[in-house]
Amino acid sequence: MKAFYEKVSHAGGHSFGYSSFSLPRFNAPFHYHPELELTLIEKSQGKRLVGGHVAHYEAGDLVLLGPNIPHCWLNAEVEPPEMDAAQAIVIHFRADFAGETFLTLPELMAIQQLFQKAQAGLLIKGKTRDIAAEKMRSGLHLQGFPRLLLLFDLLHGIALSSETERIDLFFSQQVLSPVETERFQRIYTFLIENFRENISLEQMAQIANLSPTAFCRYFKKITRKTFVDALTEFRIKHACQLLASSEKPVQEICFESGFGNVSYFNKEFKKALGQTPLQYRKYHLSLPLVASKP
Protein backbone atom coordinates (compact mmCIF):
# COMPACT_ATOMS: atom_id res chain seq x y z
CA MET A 1 0.00 0.00 0.00
CA LYS A 2 1.45 3.33 -1.03
CA ALA A 3 0.11 6.73 0.01
CA PHE A 4 -0.60 8.73 -3.09
CA TYR A 5 -2.34 11.73 -4.54
CA GLU A 6 -5.66 10.53 -5.97
CA LYS A 7 -7.14 12.26 -9.00
CA VAL A 8 -10.91 12.04 -8.51
CA SER A 9 -12.85 12.03 -11.77
CA HIS A 10 -16.56 12.58 -12.36
CA ALA A 11 -18.81 11.27 -15.10
CA GLY A 12 -19.40 13.69 -17.95
CA GLY A 13 -22.03 16.32 -17.25
CA HIS A 14 -21.55 16.21 -13.48
CA SER A 15 -19.81 18.72 -11.20
CA PHE A 16 -19.27 16.25 -8.36
CA GLY A 17 -18.86 12.51 -7.86
CA TYR A 18 -21.60 10.30 -6.39
CA SER A 19 -20.80 6.59 -6.20
CA SER A 20 -21.68 3.39 -4.40
CA PHE A 21 -19.26 0.51 -3.89
CA SER A 22 -19.73 -3.17 -3.11
CA LEU A 23 -16.43 -5.02 -2.84
CA PRO A 24 -14.79 -7.91 -0.97
CA ARG A 25 -12.78 -5.22 0.83
CA PHE A 26 -12.06 -1.51 0.47
CA ASN A 27 -9.01 -1.28 -1.78
CA ALA A 28 -8.15 2.44 -1.64
CA PRO A 29 -4.74 2.92 0.02
CA PHE A 30 -3.79 5.71 2.42
CA HIS A 31 -4.37 8.64 0.06
CA TYR A 32 -5.43 12.27 -0.28
CA HIS A 33 -7.11 14.52 -2.83
CA PRO A 34 -8.18 18.18 -3.11
CA GLU A 35 -11.87 17.24 -3.05
CA LEU A 36 -13.95 17.06 0.11
CA GLU A 37 -15.30 13.57 0.70
CA LEU A 38 -18.47 12.38 2.41
CA THR A 39 -18.35 8.63 3.06
CA LEU A 40 -21.13 6.43 4.44
CA ILE A 41 -20.13 2.88 5.36
CA GLU A 42 -23.08 0.60 4.61
CA LYS A 43 -21.35 -2.67 5.42
CA SER A 44 -17.89 -3.39 6.88
CA GLN A 45 -15.92 -2.84 10.03
CA GLY A 46 -12.27 -2.23 10.75
CA LYS A 47 -9.88 0.68 11.29
CA ARG A 48 -10.45 4.20 9.97
CA LEU A 49 -7.34 6.35 9.49
CA VAL A 50 -7.77 10.11 9.16
CA GLY A 51 -4.64 12.25 9.40
CA GLY A 52 -2.79 10.82 12.39
CA HIS A 53 -5.94 9.43 14.03
CA VAL A 54 -6.83 5.73 14.19
CA ALA A 55 -10.33 4.60 15.23
CA HIS A 56 -12.65 1.64 14.89
CA TYR A 57 -15.45 1.95 12.34
CA GLU A 58 -18.47 -0.17 11.53
CA ALA A 59 -21.63 -0.05 9.43
CA GLY A 60 -23.25 3.38 9.74
CA ASP A 61 -19.94 5.25 9.98
CA LEU A 62 -20.42 8.66 8.32
CA VAL A 63 -17.45 10.99 7.87
CA LEU A 64 -16.91 14.29 6.07
CA LEU A 65 -13.27 14.92 5.14
CA GLY A 66 -11.81 18.24 4.07
CA PRO A 67 -9.33 18.63 1.21
CA ASN A 68 -5.96 16.87 1.28
CA ILE A 69 -6.45 14.93 4.51
CA PRO A 70 -4.72 11.54 4.10
CA HIS A 71 -7.17 8.76 4.91
CA CYS A 72 -8.26 5.18 4.34
CA TRP A 73 -10.61 2.52 5.67
CA LEU A 74 -9.01 -0.85 6.51
CA ASN A 75 -11.40 -3.80 6.63
CA ALA A 76 -11.30 -6.39 9.35
CA GLU A 77 -10.94 -9.89 7.95
CA VAL A 78 -14.28 -11.59 7.21
CA GLU A 79 -14.52 -15.35 7.64
CA PRO A 80 -15.64 -16.83 5.34
CA PRO A 81 -14.79 -14.13 2.75
CA GLU A 82 -17.77 -12.30 1.23
CA MET A 83 -17.90 -10.67 -2.19
CA ASP A 84 -19.90 -7.74 -0.75
CA ALA A 85 -18.18 -7.44 2.64
CA ALA A 86 -17.33 -3.76 2.02
CA GLN A 87 -20.15 -1.45 0.94
CA ALA A 88 -20.14 2.35 0.94
CA ILE A 89 -21.62 5.45 -0.65
CA VAL A 90 -19.06 8.18 -1.39
CA ILE A 91 -19.55 11.77 -2.56
CA HIS A 92 -16.58 13.80 -3.81
CA PHE A 93 -16.75 17.53 -4.51
CA ARG A 94 -14.49 20.56 -4.56
CA ALA A 95 -15.23 23.38 -2.13
CA ASP A 96 -15.73 25.69 -5.11
CA PHE A 97 -17.55 23.20 -7.36
CA ALA A 98 -20.53 25.61 -7.60
CA GLY A 99 -18.29 28.61 -8.30
CA GLU A 100 -15.61 30.48 -6.39
CA THR A 101 -18.01 33.04 -4.87
CA PHE A 102 -21.04 30.78 -4.37
CA LEU A 103 -20.27 29.91 -0.75
CA THR A 104 -19.97 33.60 0.13
CA LEU A 105 -23.75 33.93 -0.17
CA PRO A 106 -25.27 34.65 3.28
CA GLU A 107 -27.62 31.68 2.91
CA LEU A 108 -24.64 29.33 2.60
CA MET A 109 -22.61 30.65 5.53
CA ALA A 110 -23.33 27.49 7.58
CA ILE A 111 -22.00 25.26 4.79
CA GLN A 112 -18.89 27.43 4.47
CA GLN A 113 -18.27 26.99 8.20
CA LEU A 114 -18.90 23.25 7.84
CA PHE A 115 -16.14 23.02 5.24
CA GLN A 116 -13.76 24.76 7.65
CA LYS A 117 -14.60 22.26 10.41
CA ALA A 118 -14.12 19.40 7.96
CA GLN A 119 -10.43 20.32 7.67
CA ALA A 120 -10.00 18.16 10.77
CA GLY A 121 -12.28 15.42 9.50
CA LEU A 122 -15.81 15.32 10.89
CA LEU A 123 -17.59 12.31 12.36
CA ILE A 124 -21.39 12.65 12.02
CA LYS A 125 -23.47 10.93 14.68
CA GLY A 126 -26.97 10.29 16.04
CA LYS A 127 -30.16 11.37 14.28
CA THR A 128 -28.16 13.61 11.97
CA ARG A 129 -26.27 10.59 10.70
CA ASP A 130 -29.44 8.56 10.21
CA ILE A 131 -31.16 11.34 8.25
CA ALA A 132 -28.05 12.03 6.16
CA ALA A 133 -27.62 8.31 5.41
CA GLU A 134 -31.16 8.04 4.05
CA LYS A 135 -30.63 11.11 1.87
CA MET A 136 -27.39 9.66 0.51
CA ARG A 137 -29.17 6.43 -0.40
CA SER A 138 -32.00 8.29 -2.11
CA GLY A 139 -29.45 10.35 -4.07
CA LEU A 140 -28.27 7.21 -5.84
CA HIS A 141 -31.56 7.24 -7.76
CA LEU A 142 -31.34 10.91 -8.75
CA GLN A 143 -29.51 12.72 -11.50
CA GLY A 144 -28.78 16.29 -12.53
CA PHE A 145 -30.44 19.17 -10.70
CA PRO A 146 -32.40 17.04 -8.15
CA ARG A 147 -29.13 15.40 -7.03
CA LEU A 148 -27.43 18.79 -6.77
CA LEU A 149 -30.27 20.10 -4.57
CA LEU A 150 -30.06 16.99 -2.42
CA LEU A 151 -26.32 17.54 -1.88
CA PHE A 152 -26.86 21.09 -0.65
CA ASP A 153 -29.74 19.93 1.57
CA LEU A 154 -27.51 17.16 2.93
CA LEU A 155 -24.64 19.51 3.70
CA HIS A 156 -26.93 22.14 5.22
CA GLY A 157 -28.47 19.58 7.58
CA ILE A 158 -25.02 18.45 8.76
CA ALA A 159 -23.85 22.07 9.08
CA LEU A 160 -26.71 22.97 11.45
CA SER A 161 -26.28 19.86 13.61
CA SER A 162 -24.52 19.64 16.96
CA GLU A 163 -24.11 15.87 16.48
CA THR A 164 -20.65 16.12 14.93
CA GLU A 165 -17.18 15.49 16.27
CA ARG A 166 -13.85 16.64 14.86
CA ILE A 167 -11.60 13.67 14.24
CA ASP A 168 -8.06 15.09 14.26
CA LEU A 169 -8.06 18.79 15.04
CA PHE A 170 -4.36 18.81 15.88
CA PHE A 171 -3.33 17.37 12.51
CA SER A 172 -5.48 19.92 10.67
CA GLN A 173 -3.68 22.74 12.46
CA GLN A 174 -0.28 21.62 11.20
CA VAL A 175 0.88 23.69 8.25
CA LEU A 176 2.85 21.10 6.31
CA SER A 177 4.83 21.78 3.17
CA PRO A 178 4.37 19.35 0.25
CA VAL A 179 7.66 17.71 1.25
CA GLU A 180 6.53 17.25 4.87
CA THR A 181 3.12 15.99 3.76
CA GLU A 182 4.78 13.37 1.58
CA ARG A 183 7.11 12.41 4.44
CA PHE A 184 4.18 11.94 6.84
CA GLN A 185 2.29 9.81 4.31
CA ARG A 186 5.39 7.68 3.75
CA ILE A 187 5.73 7.07 7.49
CA TYR A 188 2.07 6.24 8.09
CA THR A 189 1.83 4.05 5.01
CA PHE A 190 4.71 1.97 6.31
CA LEU A 191 3.00 1.70 9.71
CA ILE A 192 -0.28 0.61 8.10
CA GLU A 193 1.49 -2.09 6.11
CA ASN A 194 3.90 -3.34 8.78
CA PHE A 195 2.52 -2.69 12.29
CA ARG A 196 2.27 -6.44 12.89
CA GLU A 197 6.00 -6.85 12.24
CA ASN A 198 8.98 -6.01 14.43
CA ILE A 199 9.62 -2.35 13.46
CA SER A 200 12.67 -0.56 14.84
CA LEU A 201 13.12 3.15 15.45
CA GLU A 202 16.14 3.11 13.15
CA GLN A 203 14.03 1.61 10.37
CA MET A 204 11.39 4.32 10.71
CA ALA A 205 14.04 7.05 10.82
CA GLN A 206 15.51 5.75 7.57
CA ILE A 207 12.08 5.81 5.89
CA ALA A 208 11.59 9.39 7.07
CA ASN A 209 15.13 10.32 5.94
CA LEU A 210 15.88 11.65 9.42
CA SER A 211 18.15 10.70 12.28
CA PRO A 212 16.43 8.64 15.02
CA THR A 213 16.41 11.64 17.37
CA ALA A 214 15.02 13.98 14.71
CA PHE A 215 12.42 11.40 13.71
CA CYS A 216 11.15 11.13 17.30
CA ARG A 217 10.77 14.91 17.52
CA TYR A 218 9.09 15.09 14.11
CA PHE A 219 6.64 12.26 14.84
CA LYS A 220 5.64 13.69 18.22
CA LYS A 221 5.14 17.16 16.72
CA ILE A 222 2.82 15.90 13.97
CA THR A 223 0.82 13.29 15.89
CA ARG A 224 1.17 14.27 19.58
CA LYS A 225 2.17 10.64 20.19
CA THR A 226 5.48 8.90 20.50
CA PHE A 227 6.27 6.40 17.77
CA VAL A 228 5.94 3.53 20.27
CA ASP A 229 2.52 4.78 21.40
CA ALA A 230 1.30 5.04 17.79
CA LEU A 231 2.59 1.57 16.94
CA THR A 232 0.92 0.13 20.05
CA GLU A 233 -2.33 1.88 19.12
CA PHE A 234 -2.35 0.23 15.68
CA ARG A 235 -1.76 -3.17 17.28
CA ILE A 236 -4.44 -2.71 19.94
CA LYS A 237 -7.02 -1.64 17.32
CA HIS A 238 -6.20 -4.71 15.26
CA ALA A 239 -6.48 -6.97 18.30
CA CYS A 240 -9.88 -5.44 19.13
CA GLN A 241 -11.17 -6.33 15.68
CA LEU A 242 -9.98 -9.93 15.99
CA LEU A 243 -11.38 -10.33 19.50
CA ALA A 244 -14.80 -9.03 18.46
CA SER A 245 -15.08 -10.80 15.11
CA SER A 246 -13.27 -14.13 15.48
CA GLU A 247 -12.90 -17.07 17.83
CA LYS A 248 -9.12 -17.10 17.68
CA PRO A 249 -7.38 -17.69 21.03
CA VAL A 250 -6.02 -14.61 22.80
CA GLN A 251 -2.46 -15.92 22.46
CA GLU A 252 -2.85 -16.20 18.67
CA ILE A 253 -4.36 -12.72 18.46
CA CYS A 254 -1.50 -11.36 20.55
CA PHE A 255 1.15 -12.49 18.08
CA GLU A 256 -0.97 -11.80 14.99
CA SER A 257 -1.31 -8.18 16.17
CA GLY A 258 2.43 -7.71 16.50
CA PHE A 259 2.96 -8.11 20.25
CA GLY A 260 5.98 -10.10 21.38
CA ASN A 261 4.46 -11.85 24.38
CA VAL A 262 1.08 -12.35 26.00
CA SER A 263 1.90 -10.66 29.31
CA TYR A 264 2.93 -7.44 27.59
CA PHE A 265 -0.12 -7.64 25.31
CA ASN A 266 -2.48 -8.01 28.30
CA LYS A 267 -0.80 -5.13 30.11
CA GLU A 268 -0.96 -2.72 27.15
CA PHE A 269 -4.51 -3.76 26.26
CA LYS A 270 -5.79 -3.12 29.78
CA LYS A 271 -3.92 0.19 29.98
CA ALA A 272 -5.54 1.33 26.73
CA LEU A 273 -9.10 0.04 27.27
CA GLY A 274 -9.47 -0.56 30.99
CA GLN A 275 -10.22 -4.25 30.57
CA THR A 276 -8.43 -7.44 29.61
CA PRO A 277 -8.71 -8.95 26.13
CA LEU A 278 -11.01 -11.67 27.48
CA GLN A 279 -13.25 -9.11 29.17
CA TYR A 280 -13.37 -7.12 25.92
CA ARG A 281 -14.37 -10.22 23.95
CA LYS A 282 -17.01 -11.23 26.51
CA TYR A 283 -18.56 -7.76 26.38
CA HIS A 284 -18.74 -7.71 22.58
CA LEU A 285 -20.16 -11.23 22.41
CA SER A 286 -22.98 -10.06 24.70
CA LEU A 287 -24.00 -7.22 22.36
CA PRO A 288 -27.14 -7.78 20.26
CA LEU A 289 -26.68 -8.30 16.54
CA VAL A 290 -27.49 -5.26 14.45
CA ALA A 291 -28.32 -4.78 10.80
CA SER A 292 -25.61 -3.63 8.45
CA LYS A 293 -27.37 -0.33 7.86
CA PRO A 294 -27.94 2.24 10.62
Side-chain angles (χ1 to χ4, degrees):
M1 182 188 297
K2 182 179 179 181
F4 71 103
Y5 170 91
E6 181 183 35
K7 181 175 176 57
V8 177
S9 59
H10 312 319
H14 297 278
S15 58
F16 60 97
Y18 207 120
S19 307
S20 63
F21 300 92
S22 182
L23 304 163
R25 61 188 300 107
F26 295 129
N27 53 19
F30 193 54
H31 66 288
Y32 68 103
H33 42 69
E35 290 80 7
L36 287 94
E37 177 179 312
L38 184 63
T39 296
L40 170 66
I41 303 298
E42 292 277 51
K43 183 179 180 182
S44 179
Q45 63 173 326
K47 291 190 290 293
R48 173 185 4 96
L49 284 84
V50 174
H53 185 267
V54 184
H56 175 75
Y57 79 87
E58 57 190 16
D61 195 63
L62 180 60
V63 169
L64 176 64
L65 300 175
N68 298 317
I69 304 176
H71 60 278
C72 70
W73 278 256
L74 300 177
N75 301 73
E77 297 294 334
V78 176
E79 297 179 359
E82 300 176 12
M83 293 301 296
D84 63 346
Q87 298 179 17
I89 301 173
V90 182
I91 305 174
H92 288 113
F93 55 95
R94 298 250 183 173
D96 61 353
F97 80 102
E100 292 184 4
T101 61
F102 190 64
L103 284 180
T104 63
L105 296 174
E107 294 84 356
L108 296 178
M109 185 61 65
I111 294 179
Q112 184 179 22
Q113 293 171 349
L114 174 68
F115 288 178
Q116 293 170 355
K117 290 171 64 178
Q119 295 286 349
L122 208 60
L123 178 64
I124 301 147
K125 304 180 290 185
K127 292 286 187 182
T128 305
R129 180 202 62 184
D130 296 343
I131 294 169
E134 285 304 317
K135 288 180 179 178
M136 291 179 71
R137 294 180 191 118
S138 68
L140 293 171
H141 308 292
L142 301 175
Q143 291 293 332
F145 189 64
R147 181 180 276 185
L148 176 63
L149 287 180
L150 181 136
L151 176 59
F152 279 115
D153 182 49
L154 181 64
L155 294 172
H156 190 252
I158 296 171
L160 297 181
S161 174
S162 61
E163 295 179 300
T164 61
E165 176 185 325
R166 294 186 183 186
I167 295 174
D168 195 340
L169 182 61
F170 186 80
F171 181 85
S172 71
Q173 293 171 340
Q174 302 297 308
V175 181
L176 301 180
S177 68
V179 172
E180 292 305 317
T181 298
E182 193 276 334
R183 192 202 304 268
F184 172 79
Q185 292 166 343
R186 200 164 65 239
I187 291 167
Y188 248 62
T189 297
F190 187 84
L191 273 178
I192 292 167
E193 291 180 330
N194 298 284
F195 68 88
R196 287 169 285 189
E197 308 299 327
N198 185 20
I199 303 174
S200 69
L201 176 60
E202 289 73 19
Q203 193 175 10
M204 293 303 302
Q206 184 177 11
I207 290 167
N209 197 26
L210 295 168
S211 70
T213 301
F215 168 76
C216 289
R217 286 198 302 265
Y218 170 82
F219 195 91
K220 185 70 176 289
K221 176 185 176 183
I222 300 298
T223 67
R224 289 186 300 175
K225 306 168 190 172
T226 67
F227 164 65
V228 172
D229 287 343
L231 180 59
T232 301
E233 181 181 18
F234 270 88
R235 291 170 172 171
I236 293 290
K237 296 289 184 184
H238 186 70
C240 286
Q241 292 173 14
L242 294 177
L243 288 164
S245 62
S246 77
E247 297 180 355
K248 294 180 179 180
V250 170
Q251 183 173 358
E252 183 178 343
I253 290 173
C254 162
F255 292 110
E256 189 172 329
S257 300
F259 289 94
N261 64 73
V262 178
S263 296
Y264 179 68
F265 170 56
N266 286 333
K267 176 185 174 183
E268 291 299 314
F269 195 98
K270 188 167 185 179
K271 183 169 73 173
L273 297 175
Q275 53 188 330
T276 67
L278 284 176
Q279 289 170 333
Y280 181 90
R281 168 173 275 169
K282 183 177 180 180
Y283 170 76
H284 279 268
L285 288 176
S286 69
L287 294 177
L289 295 176
V290 294
S292 62
K293 294 182 180 180

